[in-house]
Amino acid sequence: MTFWDEIEQQALAARRKMVRSGELLGEDEFRERLRLSESQLARMLQRGDVFAIEVDGVAYLPALLATLGLDLRRLYSICRILVPAPPSCRLGYLSSRHANLGGISPLEALREERQYRLLRQMARAYAAEWVRTVVTIYVGSYEVEPRDIEPTLTAAHEVDPRVNLWMRAEDALLSGGYIQPCGPYATASEATVFVSRQPAGQAPPIPEARIAVSIVDGVAHANVVCHEVSTYKLDAIRVADEDIVGVVLHVVVAVRKLSL
């Protein structure tokens, strides 16, 4: 048995214990507590108001999400913010005390307006940690990301994946959170940009967009492909004698302005 198999077995044993203790409820019991219909619960799950945790192939919902006496409207707004995190981690976040909340739990922070506003801010930061947007730039033209050459630039930024794709890509290039190498960068007549989402852990990256950039006589031309289905060409952008990373930033900003 591998280390990760042992970790998974321990996690499963903990979830089974939560079912036995009533910390996790079956869907019928959860609906009964809140007097919900099946369709109402389905809509809440879809919106992210509540979330389910699977145990032995059965979906259970945290009992704390049906706690009468809590401000459930505020609680469900926090749940929606936490959607990028895995369900088990959302539960762990909600049920733990946090130093950045003054040593109290999110459930306690729901009671007072100032603490609730701080909780929303901290929950956004926590949710963003679970997915990075990665922008990779290669000199040359490529249909798929090459594996045998080093990129001219790799930039990554932790941000909620529900934020506009091009806002996330621009943030990655400008944030300074992770940029490698730091420059200076060469000029080039052609480049390919790949934008992807990188979930936390060992999950593979999720491709989101590709940009083919060419520069002729100080003018950049770009073809943008999103999700391999929609392709469009940007208007020409004058870039003078900028290096290739500066050119790509101009292109990403232009795409972002078109997408909003």
Side-chain angles (χ1 to χ4, degrees), residues 38-231:
E38 290 185 15
S39 60
Q40 286 174 318
L41 178 57
R43 286 193 295 270
M44 292 174 71
L45 286 164
Q46 185 176 30
R47 288 194 302 261
D49 296 341
V50 298
F51 53 89
I53 293 175
E54 186 175 302
V55 184
D56 295 319
V58 179
Y60 294 88
L61 291 91
L64 64 81
L65 299 180
T67 302
L68 300 179
L70 285 179
D71 188 328
L72 294 180
R73 179 187 62 82
R74 286 183 173 182
L75 176 57
Y76 296 159
S77 75
I78 299 302
C79 287
R80 291 193 295 273
I81 292 172
L82 294 174
V83 163
S88 60
C89 296
R90 293 180 230 173
L91 177 56
Y93 181 84
L94 291 172
S95 56
S96 304
R97 296 179 181 274
H98 300 277
N100 60 15
L101 295 177
I104 64 174
S105 73
L107 299 184
E108 293 172 295
L110 298 173
R111 299 169 185 166
E112 196 271 324
E113 180 65 28
R114 182 184 60 82
Q115 292 176 329
Y116 170 62
R117 289 198 302 268
L118 176 61
L119 170 60
R120 290 179 62 85
Q121 180 182 348
M122 295 299 103
R124 288 191 186 96
Y126 177 79
E129 294 175 2
W130 291 94
V131 182
R132 296 189 302 169
T133 296
V134 181
V135 179
T136 313
I137 304 172
Y138 295 88
V139 170
S141 177
Y142 302 94
E143 291 292 321
V144 296
E145 190 164 352
R147 301 300 180 189
D148 55 348
I149 63 172
E150 290 294 320
T152 299
L153 176 81
T154 300
H157 185 49
E158 292 177 345
V159 61
D160 191 323
R162 294 166 293 184
V163 171
N164 174 274
L165 164 63
W166 300 109
M167 290 181 66
R168 290 187 279 115
E170 183 181 356
D171 284 347
L173 290 169
L174 292 175
S175 70
Y178 176 87
I179 292 181
Q180 184 67 34
C182 297
Y185 308 108
T187 58
S189 61
E190 198 171 38
T192 308
V193 184
F194 296 92
V195 184
S196 62
R197 288 200 317 274
Q198 176 64 66
Q202 299 181 327
I206 303 167
E208 293 192 280
R210 172 172 51 87
I211 310 174
V213 182
S214 61
I215 301 99
V216 180
D217 297 330
V219 176
H221 306 268
N223 288 331
V224 182
V225 181
C226 290
H227 307 292
E228 300 299 332
V229 293
S230 59
T231 304

